[in-house]
Amino acid sequence: MKNRAWATSACIGIQIGVLLSHMGKYDPAIQEVFHALADPTRCAIVAALGQGPRTVSVLAEPFQMALPSLMKHLAVLERSGVVRSHKQGRIRTCELVPARLGQAEQWLAEQRVVWEARADRMVDFVETLHRQEQAHGRRRR
């Protein structure tokens, strides 16, 4: 069973690698940002930090989890570059890195342009087929 799970994940990794090789200007580090934002707790932390820097104890207040668990979430956010922290004495303060979120936003905007262009071409194609079918149907009668 373990081998099958590994084979499946390996195949998915290969497929993702092929997909990414076709994506222009893909920054592999963006994947870390999306991974960091994929968790609701981390999204809530980012939302709180959107209001300004917060100490870890203030960030922990709304969550019913042990402090080490919250610190793991913060570590993921820091590794992705979305959050940075600094320690002064015994107090650790966290803040957002807006530029990092901006990079993810830019990547999404670029993807949106590509997919909207594809959707527009699909609409044009379907409309052309529809006109051809109507013209062909009129000729038969």
Side-chain angles (χ1 to χ4, degrees), residues 15-34:
Q15 291 171 352
I16 289 171
V18 169
L19 174 67
L20 296 179
S21 69
H22 294 292
M23 295 169 52
K25 297 183 188 174
Y26 178 73
D27 176 6
I30 293 296
Q31 181 177 351
E32 293 177 6
V33 173
F34 291 121

Side-chain angles (χ1 to χ4, degrees), residues 56-129:
V56 170
S57 59
V58 169
L59 287 172
E61 286 174 7
F63 303 105
Q64 294 184 348
M65 67 175 64
L67 192 57
S69 297
L70 182 78
M71 293 303 292
K72 287 181 182 179
H73 286 292
L74 288 171
V76 170
L77 288 167
E78 284 193 78
R79 275 194 310 272
S80 72
V82 171
V83 169
R84 73 174 145 240
S85 69
H86 61 277
K87 192 170 183 179
Q88 186 172 8
R90 296 177 56 157
I91 299 173
R92 179 171 295 282
T93 303
C94 300
E95 63 182 332
L96 277 182
V97 179
R100 192 70 173 124
L101 290 173
Q103 290 171 343
E105 183 180 19
Q106 178 62 36
W107 184 87
L108 287 170
E110 290 169 2
Q111 297 310 304
R112 183 180 304 115
V113 168
V114 169
W115 283 101
E116 285 175 353
R118 287 179 183 169
D120 290 345
R121 287 194 308 269
M122 178 62 86
V123 168
D124 292 344
F125 176 73
V126 169
E127 287 174 350
T128 300
L129 281 179

